[in-house]
Amino acid sequence: MAGHETTYYTKNYQYGYKKNIVLDDYPELSNAISMDGVEGYTRTSTLESALATATYEYDNRYHITGNYRADGSSKFAKGHRWGHFGSVGAAWSFTNEHFFEGTTAADWLKNGKLRLSWGVLGNQDIGDMLYTDQYNIENVNDIQGYPWAYKGNPNLTWERTSTFDLGLEFSIAKYLDVEFDYFYKKTDNMLFPRYVAPSLGYGGYYVNDAAMENQGIEFDLKAHLIDLRNVKLNFRLNGGYYRNKMLLMPLDGYDENGNPERMVMSGGMSVGHSTADWYMVHYEGVNDQGQAMYTAYYDATNGGGFGHTSADLDNTGDNYISSVYEYQLKHPDADIRTVSVTNEEYTYAGSNYVGKSYMPDLDGGFGLDLEAYGVTLSISCSYRIGGYGYDNMYASLMHSDKIGSMNWHKDIKNAWTETNTNTNIPRLSNGADDYANAASDRFLTSNSYLSLNNINLGYKFPKKLIEKIKLTNLHIWVAADNLAIATARKGYNPMMSFSGTNGYDDYSPLSTIMGGIKVQF
């Protein structure tokens, strides 16, 4: 099978703004007297695609599938617009082999299949025409001006992700269905912004310069616990284990010897580490005065001890390091030491990898399905084991501001006092300690959870009973969603985002209960 696609996208934007409104409840431009600005633009992009697929199956034992597509994108310059992608997959239904028939294993091993596939996908998810220089149009004393809007890169091209997948599925008699998958993904030619000195007249431009790998194991189990004429009970369980690592970061420049230096992105994204690793200030607890303590770093090879002159600027004497891992890469011979800081000196605390990630160890769900004499019951749950998220809401409720300025969490009852020194919660200072709840690994919270997502209970009346009242079907049911969740802290819901991090505008899913009656004559 072969095909062709053309995707054309256009966006027309018009903007007008006036002020000094006459009538408050009349939101029209003619209702205001002062013109403040009128702008407009049109953006377009086109994707031209040719695709083909082929499948082959022999004797219900061997299965082969191939796919190919060529995509041409207007987001890239001529000579770089076309990307060629495809995949190939094969499967072997080994329990259908002739040599398997009549063996002891054939009595209990069913539906066995081994799967193998490899493919390449492309990504063009960037802005339009970033391959060429772009300028704004400005009014400079009623003269046309053309300030630089964007520096283009004519060598931009497709980001590519190659995926390898190995799968196994089988059934053990009529009692258990099993499916396992292992996958490995490598993304290269990643579309990344490369930042430059503002003195060049622009802040940066996009490049193809980074590589990342993702891999994981997924499983899906379904156990048929009871399989009788009037009673059936199934239990299902699935889960996944995932890991991620940056293999190459964009070029950040060259050192004094001409060697390339790779970028360490804000948040600690760097070679050899996961994009999910937390990179932040370390919280040490409280000192003997009840003040919050944080870890600061300095380079002893610069001379002197810790101070307020940044070692990142290659100054000598007193110094501090704001980004420890990045500093180590640029100064491999540095003698990095630590010191505890409090209050306003928090601004000199250094960010570093804290040994925690928001990537879970296991993520999945489970449930059961029951049918018994017309009664149906289905229960679905989800779970997560491992990983850490940043609890912004809890952090804001553990402040040390003036009484009445904002609510407190109940944990504030355990704040440091002269009679309660065995605690890691800073003292209440009536606003004197500005950094008592500053951002740090103190507020990293376990993302493990267990959630009761859905319960559905129904009953279908027997035909013999409803035929007496001239009905062909009578079914009643009740369903409930998002009934309960168990987490590391009440009110913290790791399901709200992939990293578990929350905010003021995040709300947990509503718990709902509904029911119904289905009647057919």
Side-chain angles (χ1 to χ4, degrees):
M1 182 180 71
H4 176 268
E5 292 179 343
T6 298
T7 303
Y8 180 79
Y9 171 84
T10 182
K11 177 182 179 181
N12 300 102
Y13 178 82
Q14 299 294 329
Y15 165 83
Y17 176 75
K18 294 178 73 176
K19 57 186 177 182
N20 293 333
I21 294 177
V22 178
L23 301 176
D24 292 340
D25 58 349
Y26 189 62
E28 300 292 342
L29 289 175
S30 60
N31 185 41
I33 62 174
S34 300
M35 177 63 72
D36 196 65
V38 177
E39 301 290 342
Y41 62 82
T42 299
R43 291 179 178 172
T44 62
S45 62
T46 304
L47 181 67
E48 198 78 16
S49 304
L51 52 126
T53 182
T55 60
Y56 175 77
E57 179 180 312
Y58 176 73
D59 197 25
N60 201 27
R61 290 182 291 165
Y62 310 107
H63 318 266
I64 299 176
T65 301
N67 296 281
Y68 168 78
R69 67 179 296 143
D71 295 299
S73 173
S74 64
K75 294 188 176 184
F76 307 119
K78 292 182 179 180
H80 299 280
R81 287 180 175 171
W82 284 93
H84 299 272
F85 315 104
S87 65
V88 59
W92 175 36
S93 299
F94 55 87
T95 53
N96 292 339
E97 289 287 355
H98 300 304
F99 65 76
F100 192 78
E101 298 175 358
T103 64
T104 303
D107 296 333
W108 56 270
L109 186 60
K110 310 290 184 180
N111 305 316
K113 181 182 288 186
L114 182 65
R115 295 179 280 103
L116 182 68
S117 65
W118 176 86
V120 179
L121 294 174
N123 174 37
Q124 51 138 12
D125 191 14
I126 56 174
D128 300 322
M129 300 183 70
L130 298 185
Y131 60 85
T132 186
D133 295 344
Q134 301 177 34
Y135 300 86
N136 290 322
I137 300 176
E138 299 287 348
N139 183 345
V140 184
N141 296 325
D142 291 331
I143 300 175
Q144 297 173 355
Y146 307 98
W148 210 330
Y150 186 82
K151 174 64 176 175
N153 178 7
N155 296 318
L156 274 181
T157 189
W158 287 85
E159 179 179 290
R160 298 169 62 87
T161 298
S162 59
T163 303
F164 168 81
D165 185 274
L166 177 64
L168 175 65
E169 55 187 77
F170 59 89
S171 298
I172 298 178
K174 61 178 182 178
Y175 303 109
L176 182 65
D177 299 329
V178 180
E179 185 172 344
F180 289 102
D181 275 279
Y182 166 78
F183 71 88
Y184 177 86
K185 293 183 178 181
K186 181 181 179 181
T187 303
D188 54 17
N189 271 355
M190 293 180 67
L191 295 164
F192 253 94
R194 176 177 293 169
Y195 301 105
V196 298
S199 58
L200 294 176
Y202 52 92
Y205 55 94
Y206 268 87
V207 296
N208 294 99
D209 188 13
M212 175 177 64
E213 70 173 16
N214 291 276
Q215 57 183 321
I217 299 174
E218 299 174 329
F219 65 88
D220 193 346
L221 309 176
K222 187 174 183 180
H224 308 283
L225 304 179
I226 301 176
D227 189 8
L228 302 176
R229 178 181 177 183
N230 295 312
V231 180
K232 299 182 184 298
L233 177 62
N234 297 323
F235 177 79
R236 41 193 162 78
L237 172 67
N238 64 70
Y241 169 85
Y242 309 102
R243 285 298 177 263
N244 159 276
K245 184 170 65 174
M246 291 300 302
L247 301 177
L248 181 69
M249 290 295 294
L251 185 67
D252 194 30
Y254 297 88
D255 62 18
E256 57 187 11
N257 297 319
N259 299 315
E261 293 182 338
R262 293 289 171 176
M263 185 183 299
V264 176
M265 297 286 287
S266 175
M269 187 186 299
S270 61
V271 173
H273 285 271
S274 169
T275 57
D277 289 345
W278 286 104
Y279 190 82
M280 60 199 324
V281 171
H282 173 58
Y283 177 70
E284 297 182 355
V286 298
N287 61 15
D288 56 6
Q289 299 297 316
Q291 297 171 309
M293 295 191 303
Y294 305 94
T295 302
Y297 303 81
Y298 68 95
D299 185 356
T301 60
N302 286 336
F306 170 75
H308 301 164
T309 303
S310 175
D312 295 330
L313 301 178
D314 293 327
N315 293 320
T316 58
D318 293 342
N319 59 85
Y320 72 94
I321 301 172
S322 60
S323 180
V324 179
Y325 184 77
E326 184 176 9
Y327 187 84
Q328 287 176 317
L329 292 179
K330 294 181 178 179
H331 305 85
D333 298 325
D335 181 11
I336 298 178
R337 302 182 185 182
T338 63
V339 63
S340 300
V341 294
T342 61
N343 289 340
E344 67 276 0
E345 287 192 333
Y346 166 83
T347 58
Y348 306 111
S351 295
N352 201 0
Y353 288 106
V354 296
K356 294 181 179 180
S357 167
Y358 61 73
M359 193 77 70
D361 296 321
L362 192 61
D363 203 4
F366 63 91
L368 61 84
D369 303 289
L370 172 67
E371 297 180 14
Y373 298 97
V375 176
T376 58
L377 173 65
S378 176
I379 300 176
S380 296
C381 301
S382 60
Y383 67 91
R384 181 176 296 168
I385 301 174
Y388 291 85
Y390 193 86
D391 194 345
N392 279 299
M393 297 305 300
Y394 179 71
S396 66
L397 295 173
M398 295 299 290
H399 65 91
S400 185
D401 211 340
K402 295 179 180 180
I403 296 175
S405 62
M406 187 177 177
N407 288 335
W408 274 312
H409 191 276
K410 66 178 183 178
D411 288 353
I412 207 71
K413 294 179 180 180
N414 194 34
W416 183 96
T417 65
E418 293 181 353
T419 59
N420 182 38
T421 59
N422 188 24
T423 180
N424 69 338
I425 299 176
R427 67 188 184 184
L428 296 178
S429 64
N430 200 32
D433 297 340
D434 291 334
Y435 297 94
N437 63 334
S440 69
D441 59 353
R442 170 188 174 190
F443 300 110
L444 291 181
T445 304
S446 173
N447 276 345
S448 298
Y449 72 85
L450 176 62
S451 174
L452 178 56
N453 296 338
N454 173 268
I455 297 179
N456 194 311
L457 177 63
Y459 179 69
K460 186 175 183 179
F461 287 82
K463 287 188 176 181
K464 291 182 179 180
L465 181 62
I466 61 176
E467 285 176 349
K468 298 178 181 180
I469 54 175
K470 308 301 181 180
L471 297 179
T472 59
N473 183 28
L474 179 58
H475 179 222
I476 60 175
W477 59 272
V478 60
D481 295 319
N482 306 312
L483 289 180
I485 185 171
T487 64
R489 178 178 296 116
K490 185 177 181 181
Y492 177 67
N493 188 345
M495 299 174 64
M496 296 307 300
S497 68
F498 182 70
S499 67
T501 301
N502 59 16
Y504 289 101
D505 55 351
D506 293 330
Y507 295 89
S508 295
L510 293 176
S511 297
T512 59
I513 300 177
M514 60 188 301
I517 301 176
K518 183 177 181 181
V519 180
Q520 290 179 304
F521 296 92

